[in-house]
Amino acid sequence: MSSGPITELILESFRLNGCLLAAGDALVKDLGLTSARWQVLGAAALAPAPAPVAHLARDMGLSRQNVQRIANELEAAGLLTFAPNPNHQRAKLVLLTEYGRAVYAKAAARQAPWAATLSKGVPDDAIEGATSLLRNLRRRLEAQQPTPRRSPA
């Protein structure tokens, strides 16, 4: 019995995720980051306004507990801080420190040429089509969840 194209896509996505995590770890290791730390730092940096961990976790499609653990590590490293939230007494807002902004900027500066090299020779429309397909599948999965996660775009 054939597993079908969707299963092959899922398995290849898992393999790609592993490769991306390893490449990300190597790209930012000397900055004191891992791919997971970089992802949380980026979520805080790119949020339109300071947000609590639970909001960042939902936007990233991850558990609040895991994002909280990583945010605590980033706070201990001086990359972010927690501030009072006027809308919720216990859910502190996540803010990048100046040091955190500088480290994130260094990581982003490395990511741009790495991504350009990775995509060299791949037509933009192929990348856009793959992005659209993955986004559509993610949204279908989110719609099946008992409590759908809020996702960016």
Side-chain angles (χ1 to χ4, degrees):
M1 180 174 171
S2 171
S3 60
I6 191 68
T7 299
E8 288 302 314
L9 177 63
I10 291 166
L11 293 173
E12 195 57 38
S13 295
F14 289 157
R15 291 181 201 111
L16 175 61
N17 184 58
C19 290
L20 287 171
L21 292 174
D25 286 349
L27 196 63
V28 295
K29 182 179 182 176
D30 67 312
L31 297 176
L33 296 176
T34 62
S35 290
R37 286 181 174 193
W38 186 12
Q39 186 180 10
V40 173
L41 193 65
L46 298 174
V53 165
H55 291 189
L56 297 177
R58 269 196 310 269
D59 287 347
M60 295 165 57
L62 300 173
S63 74
R64 183 201 55 78
Q65 294 84 352
N66 193 41
V67 174
Q68 184 67 62
R69 179 186 56 79
I70 294 168
N72 291 344
E73 292 173 5
L74 292 169
E75 180 191 34
L79 296 163
L80 61 81
T81 189
F82 297 105
N85 182 347
N87 300 314
H88 193 287
Q89 194 173 30
R90 289 182 24 201
K92 304 287 186 208
L93 299 175
V94 178
L95 304 169
L96 266 66
T97 62
E98 287 298 321
Y99 176 57
R101 276 191 277 284
V103 169
Y104 181 74
K106 287 178 186 177
R110 292 177 185 187
Q111 189 272 343
W114 173 82
T117 299
L118 185 62
S119 65
K120 187 174 183 175
V122 181
D124 285 349
D125 62 340
I127 294 170
E128 291 163 1
T131 301
S132 178
L133 172 62
L134 292 173
R135 183 178 297 121
N136 183 292
L137 292 173
R138 175 183 48 84
R139 287 179 176 161
R140 287 179 182 206
L141 287 169
E142 288 173 340
Q144 294 174 5
Q145 298 297 316
T147 52
R149 294 181 167 160
R150 187 183 74 198
S151 27

